[in-house]
Amino acid sequence: MNETVGKPIDRVDGKLKVTGGATYSAEFNIKNMVHGVAVTSEITKGRIQNINTGIAEKSPGVVGVMTYKNSMQLHSPQTSSPGAGKFAEKDLLPLQNDRVFYDGQIIAVVMAETLEQAEHAATLVKVNYQREEPVFDLEKNIEKAYEAASASTGAETQTKRGNATESLKTASQKIEQTYTTPVYHHNAMEPHATIALWQGETVLLYDATQSVAGTQGLMSSMLGVPKEKVRVVSYYLGGGFGSKGFSWPNTVLAAMAAKLVSRPVKLVLTRQQQFTTAGRRSQTIQKISLGADQSGKLSAIKHASTVESSFVDEFVETAGVATSMIYSSQNVEVSHKLVRLNKVTPCPMRAPGEAPGTYALEVAMDELAYQSKIDPLQLRLINYADQEEQKKKKFSSKYLKECYQKGAEMIGWSKRNPQPGSMKEGKYLVGYGMATATYPANRSASSAKATLFADGHAEILCATQDIGTGTYTIMTQTAADAFGLPIEKVTVKLGDSEFPKGANSGGSQVTASVGPAIRAASMGAVSKLVKLAIGDGKSPLHGQKEADITAQNGRLSLKTKPDQGEDYTQILVRQGLQKIEAQAATKVSTRQQTEANPAAGGSEEQIEEESKSNPVVQEDEKTDRKPYVFHSFGVQFVKVLVDPDLGMVHVDKAVAVMDVGTIMNLKTAKSQIMGGMIFGIGMALLEETNYDPNRGRPVTKDLANYLVPVHADMPDIEVEFINKPDMLISPIGARGVGEIGITGITAAINNAIYHATGKRVRELPVTPDKLL
Amino acid sequence: MEPFKLVRAQNNASAIAASNSKETKFIAGGTNIIDLMKLYVEKPKQLVDVTSLNLKQIETQPDGSVKIGALVKNSDLAYHPVIKQKYPFLSEALLSGASAQLRNMASVGGNLLQRTRCYYFYDTAFPCNKREPGSGCPAISGYNRIHAVLGTSDKCIATSPSDMCVPMAALGAMIQVEGPAGSRKIPFADFHRLPGDTPQIDTNLKQGELITAVILPSLPFAAKSHYLKVRDRASYEFALTSAAVALDISNGKINNSRIALGGVGTKPWRSFAAEKVLNGAAANTQTYRAAAEAAMAGAKPHKYNAFKVELAKRTIVRALETVGGMV
Ligand SMILES: Cc1cc2nc3c(=O)[nH]c(=O)nc-3n(C[C@H](O)[C@H](O)[C@H](O)COP(=O)(O)OP(=O)(O)OC[C@H]3O[C@@H](n4cnc5c(N)ncnc54)[C@H](O)[C@@H]3O)c2cc1C
Ligand code: SF4
């Protein structure tokens, strides 16, 4: 049935996007709409003594200024996960009181007829503060670190097996090093943006969110409005990378402001504001201890991370999360500590935990390899984990050895001279490095509706969203194959909370979660059609068995006698039906958290009822997943050129081989991995948010100073996939590809720099000054 | 931005006449002034658009010098055959700056007057002596990785950001201006000012003075010149350090030289001290290193930019070696 799945077809929304036809959340022109501009605090901690809005209110075009004094009172959020709706800072609901917890916190919103008028009036809001002593430096406050309880991503923060401390004492090879990563900001192209429109007691929110369903639930509880009266729409997203997974103040503020001025309000955060009010990745200080015997077998692994939290919520960057399962070892200890700081709360950012964590661990592995005089790739094979040793479960499917082998061939690993500083091209030192990539394969509950129309086209509805990754495209392929239709005949509609609830776009889970639901719903619709034909005396398939009938190219026919059959449209027209529809909900979840996608009320119950008689759903849910853990793996190899005098590093070639289950679309999958790798180049060499050391306010907060890779920094990138279906995770066999691409790459680059220069830089990013 | 009035000038005289108050500024490509206005760093009440003025020619003068109109676009200048042939380092410097889109908008006059990229200058939530005289300089004790190590004062350590200006400083170009009191020529070295106690004043241009042209002297050995820019990413970033060098070498001996630095000074930094070391010396790495040492002799690093001292020296040596190798 896989007619289109796997093929590198172009994005179905590609033309719309390049011609400006794709409407993003801030781009709806709504009659009577006013523009909101946020005013942010200019102290790091304290209270607002006096906020004078008089001059701003009199400024031309201004229709209102909202502060804690006149804003509506919010209710505490009742949910706390991205799937169900998570407000990013539970103890700092916007504009509820006079307290300031960090520099750049939103303290007012000015509404005016034009954006320029609102921007100008925002500068006229005058504030006096009562200052308090802030803390904002992780290193200087390390003694305040406390043990992290649990992570909102569901990951465990403290794990232990055996006794790593004891075992390290007797290890013949030992590495003990500290690795650090700075604060990062997501910097999606599209800013955080919301348009809020009230119609009576009903609110419509066009919102840049990675979770329309979660945002609906969250806004319902915060605004105190029944869920049916909140609609959240996010048709297209210009990237999120985790920053739009939790809800940041723009969404609820737009709703509050629209209520206050009784007009639709558009609120878009500026690039600079996103550096203080829309999350970030925490700085990490990671201490890694590795112990090994002479043969390189790991006897002990310790990974102790200290990361940042805030005073208004808690988020753990679980840097050690992969360490307990990535290699085989009897003694492993992973711990996380947090320090509360007066900075915006960190939140998930592309591969939260794994991105900084695989950097530290995989550089430490490289250090062990050189110290033990073992080839770095060989060291990984020596410590290959055949099963998940922490949970003592089997991997659902794992082809990491194949990845290693293929990647090594592609980069020409065997031709490298392992001696650091030994390889040259002209005036450049040449280095090769590698690292393992890994990311969990997540799946959570999802539902979808599939409709086949009498004109022969089909439509899918699902309240998940395409955050720029290609979800529209691969879901069109999935539905087309399940329906037995060419892709031109299938329209997938996403990004509207009115649709059956789909997974939130986080944890690389959408494909694995939504795909099976869309497939089941589509096949459910086809099954209904088949039953119609069988029961229809005028059908050539009258009286046949369902199992003997196949659906292909818009036509039902007997498997053994393809000539005997008829088109879908013929059946529907003859029956006088305009359409036939089916809904399906799959409850399978590989995630630990239970709240991620709780069964929703109302119409969802009906979908679940219908799903009980859908054999595709039943088959899927019957699979015994308890003995398994679900992870993707891969390898990153890079070649770098280093100018030894000037410290400039250029990644010359990067190769990734990934085992991520079925590839739904070769083109979008490659793009995702490539995007992750480029993100990783940024992390290795460029990205860093710097704060003023005296005040804790970010200073590098625009795209001129927060450096992400430009084309000239990008190497020749090759991506290959193992493409073996993982039939245990779901009947479509696909695991996600969104995040694994950034894991391992940073370490591979770092290791290549060491190979080129003999210099080990343990503080990211590796900028020229660190190589002088 | 602060509301403002826009006036379109049709000729030099009307532009100058319109720019008769402190609250008036010229606008050319707008790639710097508009950004600064959006951030409330610049708050002119009136902008005088000079883009219609007839200042767009590049002409070789009878004495061999080259006169560049103030409105010549950065990209047109960079690709002009005369510039590529006679002053390759100027072409390289221009092309190493900003992005293709920006270079297509940016003018020579605007580039000369572009303001520092100091983070604190750009954020009105911080004090800044350059933006608000007397308010203080948070960069000195703050995050100062991109800041200057030469020509700083206890009031301001902001780096002069322009790439184009570095080879122009090396060449000793002349800046031709027209103002209410007539026209005058300002030697490049006297155009930009050190911060001293008045970091708010970047240049010696007076209110109402319009830059009409830059004149590059005829300097035949500049045909062998190079601009080297070191930065974190490969493109679209200001220099951490840069060097514009030209060498006149015969028989292994340096007869004459020009050297100016970017990324390290509070103004485009011509190093006469380095030129002195080079002139008359043997063209080898030892000489280049000695010149680099001389260039950076008075450097005053701060906490986060200390690396620039050594990096600048290496940048100079590499640039000199590159030109030395051309001969
Ligand atoms: C993202 C970004 C990256 C950049 N990267 C670099 C880089 O790597 N290297 C680099 O060198 N530059 C870089 N630039 C700066 C760029 O070179 C300048 O913005 C540009 O040269 C300014 O020229 P303009 O014509 O747009 O000036 P405008 O913005 O129009 O004007 C700038 C100033 O010059 C004044 N002015 C303009 N023309 C005249 C005149 N004829 N007489 C008197 N006064 C005049 C204006 O009043 C104003 O004060 C970058 C800019 C941006 C936005
Ligand atoms: S270095 Fe100069 S521009 Fe920067 S903050 Fe200090 S005074 Fe302002």
Side-chain angles (χ1 to χ4, degrees):
Chain A
M1 287 241 298
N2 278 7
E3 289 293 322
T4 75
V5 163
K7 300 236 167 78
I9 68 159
D10 290 342
R11 286 174 188 246
V12 296
D13 51 351
K15 190 170 171 189
L16 280 180
K17 284 190 172 176
V18 298
T19 55
T23 313
Y24 289 76
S25 295
E27 296 179 328
F28 290 87
N29 280 324
I30 290 168
K31 209 173 140 227
N32 215 20
M33 181 171 73
V34 294
H35 296 260
V37 166
V39 180
T40 57
S41 71
E42 299 191 352
I43 64 160
T44 318
K45 186 185 177 196
R47 283 178 190 272
I48 298 168
Q49 219 163 32
N50 179 37
I51 182 158
N52 180 348
T53 57
I55 308 168
E57 278 159 12
K58 287 192 205 86
S59 183
V62 171
V63 296
V65 180
M66 183 167 72
T67 70
Y68 73 93
K69 291 187 172 163
N70 63 349
S71 67
M72 72 184 268
Q73 202 183 339
L74 294 171
H75 302 257
S76 287
Q78 297 303 308
T79 50
S80 61
S81 76
K86 157 88 185 127
F87 190 71
E89 299 186 315
K90 67 176 167 47
D91 297 328
L92 178 56
L93 304 189
L95 305 190
Q96 298 298 292
N97 59 44
D98 60 353
R99 299 196 64 184
V100 173
F101 290 94
Y102 48 83
D103 210 329
Q105 173 186 322
I106 296 179
I107 53 169
V109 179
V110 177
M111 280 77 69
E113 300 291 345
T114 71
L115 176 63
E116 290 75 13
Q117 287 171 331
E119 280 174 341
H120 184 57
T123 66
L124 303 174
V125 174
K126 298 296 168 215
V127 193
N128 291 323
Y129 300 96
Q130 186 188 322
R131 288 164 199 266
E132 292 164 26
E133 200 52 45
V135 285
F136 46 78
D137 190 305
L138 177 61
E139 272 142 35
K140 287 192 187 136
N141 291 283
I142 205 104
E143 80 286 354
K144 299 195 180 111
Y146 63 96
E147 216 164 86
S150 68
S152 52
T153 50
E156 282 179 48
T157 54
Q158 324 289 339
T159 51
K160 204 174 161 182
R161 66 175 178 266
N163 190 333
T165 309
E166 267 312 302
S167 168
L168 273 167
K169 287 185 187 151
T170 55
S172 61
Q173 296 291 339
K174 226 188 291 185
I175 295 291
E176 283 197 324
Q177 290 294 352
T178 300
Y179 305 87
T180 64
T181 60
V183 171
Y184 299 111
H185 276 84
H186 311 74
N187 277 310
M189 283 294 279
E190 180 202 26
H192 286 69
T194 310
I195 294 174
L197 166 64
W198 288 89
Q199 282 162 325
E201 285 310 297
T202 304
V203 65
L204 167 60
L205 295 160
Y206 292 101
D207 190 38
T209 174
Q210 292 174 237
S211 180
V212 287
T215 303
Q216 179 197 31
L218 181 70
M219 289 303 124
S220 151
S221 81
M222 287 177 78
L223 296 167
V225 175
K227 210 165 167 176
E228 315 79 71
K229 300 206 161 174
V230 180
R231 181 174 167 206
V232 179
V233 169
S234 190
Y235 296 137
Y236 298 98
L237 224 80
F241 310 117
S243 74
K244 295 165 185 163
F246 294 176
S247 191
W248 292 96
N250 53 292
T251 310
V252 73
L253 282 173
M256 292 158 73
K259 189 114 215 176
L260 184 74
V261 300
S262 303
R263 288 174 67 177
V265 170
K266 164 151 65 174
L267 180 60
V268 180
L269 299 183
T270 64
R271 181 66 58 191
Q272 286 84 349
Q273 286 171 349
Q274 287 174 91
F275 276 81
T276 59
T277 66
R280 62 195 171 98
R281 197 200 293 276
S282 165
Q283 184 182 344
T284 72
I285 301 173
Q286 304 176 54
K287 192 172 170 221
I288 301 232
S289 314
L290 300 179
D293 66 15
Q294 288 300 347
S295 73
K297 181 83 196 72
L298 286 165
S299 54
I301 309 174
K302 261 173 104 166
H303 191 160
S305 305
T306 308
V307 302
E308 300 168 282
S309 192
S310 77
F311 288 99
V312 290
D313 210 324
E314 185 167 290
F315 177 80
V316 193
E317 179 74 28
T318 47
V321 69
T323 302
S324 63
M325 64 88 197
I326 192 166
Y327 295 114
S328 169
S329 178
Q330 285 178 354
N331 304 292
V332 179
E333 197 180 311
V334 174
S335 63
H336 293 88
K337 282 187 170 172
L338 292 170
V339 177
R340 290 195 194 279
L341 298 176
N342 289 103
K343 287 181 179 172
V344 70
T345 313
C347 73
M349 178 164 165
R350 207 168 195 175
E354 284 83 358
T358 55
Y359 149 69
L361 181 69
E362 289 295 285
V363 173
M365 284 294 280
D366 201 61
E367 299 208 41
L368 179 64
Y370 278 97
Q371 183 178 301
S372 323
K373 302 198 166 50
I374 298 173
D375 180 275
L377 177 54
Q378 189 56 30
L379 184 70
R380 269 99 178 162
L381 290 169
I382 293 168
N383 293 290
Y384 196 83
D386 288 309
Q387 60 161 333
E388 211 280 33
E389 295 182 4
Q390 187 66 31
K391 300 199 177 82
K392 299 197 172 55
K393 289 186 179 189
K394 286 182 253 182
F395 289 111
S396 57
S397 109
K398 179 175 176 183
Y399 296 95
L400 178 57
K401 278 186 185 155
E402 288 79 349
C403 296
Y404 285 145
Q405 194 191 340
K406 189 155 194 168
E409 279 163 22
M410 285 161 70
I411 198 88
W413 187 252
S414 62
K415 283 188 258 146
R416 117 193 202 282
N417 177 345
Q419 184 61 35
S422 63
M423 297 181 75
K424 285 205 176 91
E425 271 177 28
K427 59 178 182 284
Y428 298 109
L429 294 170
V430 176
Y432 288 87
M434 59 86 54
T436 306
T438 185
Y439 195 74
N442 293 313
R443 177 176 174 192
S444 43
S446 279
S447 49
K449 181 174 176 179
T451 308
L452 179 68
F453 292 90
D455 69 358
H457 91 275
E459 181 185 81
I460 299 293
L461 304 181
C462 177
T464 187
Q465 44 286 309
D466 185 331
I467 62 172
T469 51
T471 305
Y472 276 116
T473 309
I474 61 172
M475 290 310 146
T476 304
Q477 293 172 275
T478 305
D481 283 358
F483 259 116
L485 284 172
I487 51 166
E488 304 76 47
K489 295 258 167 169
V490 178
T491 308
V492 172
K493 294 187 175 168
L494 311 173
D496 187 334
S497 63
E498 307 261 279
F499 300 158
K501 191 170 171 181
N504 63 297
S505 303
S508 301
Q509 69 174 0
V510 165
T511 304
S513 308
V514 173
I518 288 179
R519 176 176 175 271
S522 307
M523 290 169 83
V526 173
S527 167
K528 286 183 185 177
L529 186 72
V530 171
K531 290 192 177 88
L532 279 181
I534 292 171
D536 182 344
K538 298 202 179 110
S539 170
L541 298 168
H542 177 66
Q544 298 290 342
K545 283 204 208 92
E546 185 169 353
D548 294 339
I549 295 171
T550 175
Q552 259 169 348
N553 228 346
R555 189 168 181 274
L556 296 182
S557 63
L558 282 182
K559 284 179 187 162
T560 49
K561 256 195 261 164
D563 288 352
Q564 188 175 333
E566 62 177 334
D567 289 351
Y568 301 169
T569 50
Q570 284 174 290
I571 304 168
L572 288 173
V573 169
R574 200 171 49 240
Q575 296 273 333
L577 291 173
Q578 308 227 306
K579 61 185 181 187
I580 193 164
E581 55 189 34
Q583 307 190 82
T586 62
K587 293 194 292 278
V588 180
S589 175
T590 65
R591 310 199 76 165
Q592 277 164 353
Q593 79 223 69
T594 48
E595 203 210 353
N597 274 285
S603 61
E604 302 282 324
E605 268 168 37
Q606 198 193 322
I607 303 182
E608 282 180 26
E609 201 47 47
E610 185 177 338
S611 300
K612 282 182 191 154
S613 56
N614 184 324
V616 184
V617 174
Q618 293 313 309
E619 186 72 25
D620 186 1
E621 292 188 348
K622 216 172 63 195
T623 306
D624 181 13
R625 297 181 168 88
K626 277 202 206 74
Y628 301 98
V629 290
F630 300 85
H631 279 276
S632 284
F633 287 94
V635 69
Q636 309 263 14
F637 283 95
V638 301
K639 176 189 171 200
V640 300
L641 300 176
V642 182
D643 186 321
D645 300 324
L646 304 176
M648 290 198 285
V649 177
H650 179 67
V651 180
D652 189 49
K653 188 174 173 120
V655 163
V657 183
M658 297 286 167
D659 165 28
V660 290
T662 305
I663 295 306
M664 304 296 289
N665 177 323
L666 193 58
K667 199 171 190 173
T668 55
K670 274 193 178 174
S671 294
Q672 281 301 296
I673 299 298
M674 259 193 242
M677 292 165 81
I678 293 164
F679 225 106
I681 293 172
M683 195 173 159
L685 303 175
L686 300 168
E687 286 184 51
E688 162 170 42
T689 303
N690 303 104
Y691 288 79
D692 176 58
N694 300 310
R695 180 164 153 186
R697 180 179 173 89
V699 291
T700 50
K701 52 179 179 294
D702 54 41
L703 292 175
N705 289 303
Y706 184 93
L707 304 180
V708 297
V710 295
H711 282 91
D713 295 295
M714 292 173 202
D716 176 13
I717 299 178
E718 283 179 28
V719 179
E720 289 287 340
F721 296 104
I722 299 296
N723 201 7
K724 290 225 170 89
D726 179 349
M727 299 315 279
L728 284 165
I729 190 163
S730 87
I732 64 171
R735 303 192 294 249
V737 292
E739 293 171 90
I740 192 169
I742 192 185
T743 70
I745 178 78
T746 306
I749 294 169
N750 208 279
N751 297 340
I753 293 170
Y754 174 75
H755 178 230
T757 64
K759 282 189 189 130
R760 186 68 76 177
V761 180
R762 300 184 184 89
E763 269 173 43
L764 290 185
V766 189
T767 44
D769 44 304
K770 294 181 186 159
L771 290 172
L772 291 185
Chain B
M1 57 181 82
E2 199 83 58
F4 64 91
K5 210 176 120 196
L6 180 70
V7 183
R8 280 184 217 281
Q10 297 310 323
N11 52 49
N12 295 4
S14 67
I16 294 160
S19 178
N20 57 1
S21 93
K22 269 194 139 151
E23 315 213 293
T24 299
K25 288 235 161 199
F26 296 123
I27 176 167
T31 61
N32 192 215
I33 184 98
I34 297 289
D35 280 4
L36 293 168
M37 286 168 66
K38 281 191 196 159
L39 295 168
Y40 286 79
V41 177
E42 299 263 23
K43 293 178 276 190
K45 292 261 187 300
Q46 174 167 291
L47 283 183
V48 179
D49 178 359
V50 296
T51 51
S52 311
L53 306 189
N54 185 20
L55 302 170
K56 292 169 189 150
Q57 292 82 17
I58 299 172
E59 303 156 306
T60 307
Q61 316 256 79
D63 64 353
S65 64
V66 176
K67 186 173 167 192
I68 304 158
L71 287 169
V72 170
K73 300 287 184 199
N74 284 189
S75 36
D76 290 336
L77 184 60
Y79 293 114
H80 196 277
V82 171
I83 302 299
K84 282 169 73 178
Q85 190 259 319
K86 292 184 73 166
Y87 314 102
F89 61 172
L90 177 57
S91 179
E92 288 175 289
L94 285 159
L95 294 177
S96 76
S99 66
Q101 295 95 322
L102 283 158
R103 294 192 295 266
N104 287 342
M105 286 303 290
S107 67
V108 167
N111 197 324
L112 284 168
L113 291 179
Q114 64 167 300
R115 306 208 69 188
T116 184
R117 308 307 283 202
C118 169
Y119 327 111
Y120 297 96
F121 176 70
Y122 269 78
D123 182 351
T124 54
F126 282 108
C128 165
N129 286 330
K130 196 184 266 301
R131 182 168 23 82
E132 278 170 60
S135 62
C137 172
I140 291 175
S141 65
Y143 186 69
N144 44 38
R145 181 169 185 264
I146 61 169
H147 289 74
V149 292
L150 293 168
T152 58
S153 75
D154 61 357
K155 298 285 187 298
C156 179
I157 57 169
T159 310
S160 159
S162 168
D163 290 300
M164 179 195 81
C165 286
V166 184
M168 284 187 178
L171 288 167
M174 282 297 219
I175 296 167
Q176 193 172 320
V177 307
E178 246 175 78
S183 60
R184 62 179 179 132
K185 278 186 189 152
I186 309 172
F188 206 89
D190 299 336
F191 185 75
H192 296 97
R193 289 163 58 104
L194 294 175
D197 287 334
T198 53
Q200 71 275 18
I201 313 173
D202 287 356
T203 70
N204 286 318
L205 204 64
K206 297 194 188 106
Q207 181 61 43
E209 278 188 324
L210 174 76
I211 299 171
T212 53
V214 175
I215 299 154
L216 307 179
S218 167
L219 190 74
F221 73 87
K224 295 225 162 52
S225 62
H226 178 47
Y227 184 72
L228 175 63
K229 180 172 177 180
V230 178
R231 46 184 157 178
D232 302 293
R233 70 178 166 193
S235 174
Y236 206 31
E237 188 191 1
F238 288 88
L240 290 172
T241 59
S242 72
V245 305
L247 288 177
D248 176 5
I249 302 176
S250 54
N251 302 322
K253 200 178 127 236
I254 303 166
N255 306 315
N256 208 344
S257 64
R258 289 296 171 94
I259 176 161
L261 309 176
V264 289
T266 51
K267 61 183 245 178
W269 201 262
R270 179 157 172 199
S271 180
F272 293 100
E275 288 175 14
K276 212 169 135 197
V277 171
L278 293 169
N279 295 346
N284 59 34
T285 301
Q286 217 178 329
T287 302
Y288 302 154
R289 182 73 203 184
E293 294 292 341
M296 298 309 292
K300 262 204 209 127
H302 285 82
K303 184 168 177 191
Y304 296 91
N305 69 1
F307 71 93
K308 280 192 175 183
V309 180
E310 176 60 21
L311 186 61
K313 290 178 192 169
R314 296 185 185 197
T315 308
I316 296 166
V317 172
R318 173 68 64 80
L320 287 167
E321 281 176 345
T322 307
V323 179
M326 289 174 183
V327 184

